[in-house]
Amino acid sequence: MQEKQSHISNETWEKLLVQLVYVQANSPYYQRLFKEVGFDTHQANAFTFLNLPLTHKKNLATSNDDFIAVESQDIIEYVTTSGTLGNPVTFALNESDLQRLAINEEQSFNLVGVDKKDVVQITTTLDKRFIAGLAYFLGLRKIGAGIIRVGAGSPALQWDSIQRFKPTYLVVVPSFLIQLAKYAEANEIDIHKSSIKGAICIGEALRDENNQFNTLGKKIKSLWDLELFSTYASTEMCTAFTECKEHLGLHVPENLIFTEILDEDGEEVKPGEVGELVVTTLGVETMPLVRYATGDLVKKMKTSCDCGKGSALISSVLGRKQQLIKYKGTSIYPQQIVQLMMELPEIEEYQIQVTSNELDTDKLTIVIPKEASESLQHKLKEILKANLRVTPVLELLPLAEIKASIFPEGSRKPVRFLDLRKA
Ligand SMILES: [Zn+2]
């Protein structure tokens, strides 16, 4: 039990306690929870803190308003989570939270090496109730760099902006870089002569659990040799984790967030092991979270960073805890299959489906267009078998039918993974 508190230093505990005192005084949700479990900041220590129940996404969804710890008149920004798994949750920020966000992104850009002389093109959404684009904007304002707010989509406008304003960095969803490269090729733009030096990549992982480029990362590098910086962030955490120029993992901004990486039994994993990221936000006023289970699986990295910044490093997100598939005795994440499918771009669309079979174990199916040739199907089976060690069932359906299932009306993201398992 002593071991459990040993990874919290006195300095960290002091920062945590400040946040816990604030939360106990202001957050209706945590006031109730602390009372229920007999936790009181007057007598708390690192050990009692590490025994607090985790907060889950479903708590946020069912008690959304109880998480708000400021007067409504002080709220400035209203945003929602992306709602990949169920209904989106509301998040709100006050002036102090927006400033905290700016500090976070200023630190992130410092890690990347962006300074006042740089011009950064933001190719991600700045509105639509998203927080990320705004956060980048605020961070760049603090640095004093030039900013081009193109927003999402429109390769033509992106390239026009690159040629017109000569940005040095892009803030971008990595798969969009592929689209940009293809547009350039089709329109006789020499990407190798562009002003872009690097890309701050959001929303998709570029590296695998060994910190090597995954299929997406390799594909981008083969088309366009940019310096790629991985990041990891979420609306709930109100915090972004960013890779520095050493590319050894994502730096944890320890002044803004306390992180735990927990195994199935709720114990901190060892360096080199994978577990669920659990966070306690520091300095968040409007919707502070205490021991929030992100559902994201990350690896605790072994090395401290060569850049000398001193903070802990975590891997990119390797999968979602809820999406883990147990298939024929093997653990598989949909993300692994998504990566493998990129090796066969000839397969125009696909959907990964998981259902419960008669024995209540998982049945894994990949639906592909029936237009796919037999040799292509064979190739896919070989790739899956070689990389997953098991072969999912292939189901052949008309392309139009698959498309309808991937892009249902009202969905903000394509449904690449359909989870039909019994709850
Ligand atoms: Zn570093």
Side-chain angles (χ1 to χ4, degrees), residues 111 243-249 251 305-309 313:
L111 287 168
E243 211 174 74
C244 73
K245 292 183 95 64
E246 302 292 336
H247 304 283
L248 293 173
H251 276 264
C305 195
D306 294 348
C307 73
K309 290 262 195 286
L313 297 175

Side-chain angles (χ1 to χ4, degrees), residues 16-80:
L16 269 170
L17 190 58
V18 170
Q19 183 74 3
L20 292 168
V21 167
Y22 173 83
V23 162
Q24 184 167 300
N26 297 290
S27 167
Y29 179 83
Y30 287 108
Q31 282 169 345
R32 199 170 63 226
L33 181 78
F34 289 2
K35 210 172 251 174
E36 270 170 27
V37 300
F39 179 85
D40 183 348
T41 50
H42 294 101
Q43 290 125 33
N45 56 36
F47 178 72
T48 53
F49 164 73
L50 290 176
N51 279 290
L52 277 173
L54 299 180
T55 301
H56 294 277
K57 201 163 203 152
K58 65 173 188 290
N59 303 121
L60 271 173
T62 53
S63 310
N64 207 175
D65 290 347
D66 289 348
F67 282 89
I68 297 179
V70 301
E71 300 286 336
S72 60
Q73 63 185 8
D74 292 327
I75 294 173
I76 295 172
E77 270 285 320
Y78 289 96
V79 295
T80 53

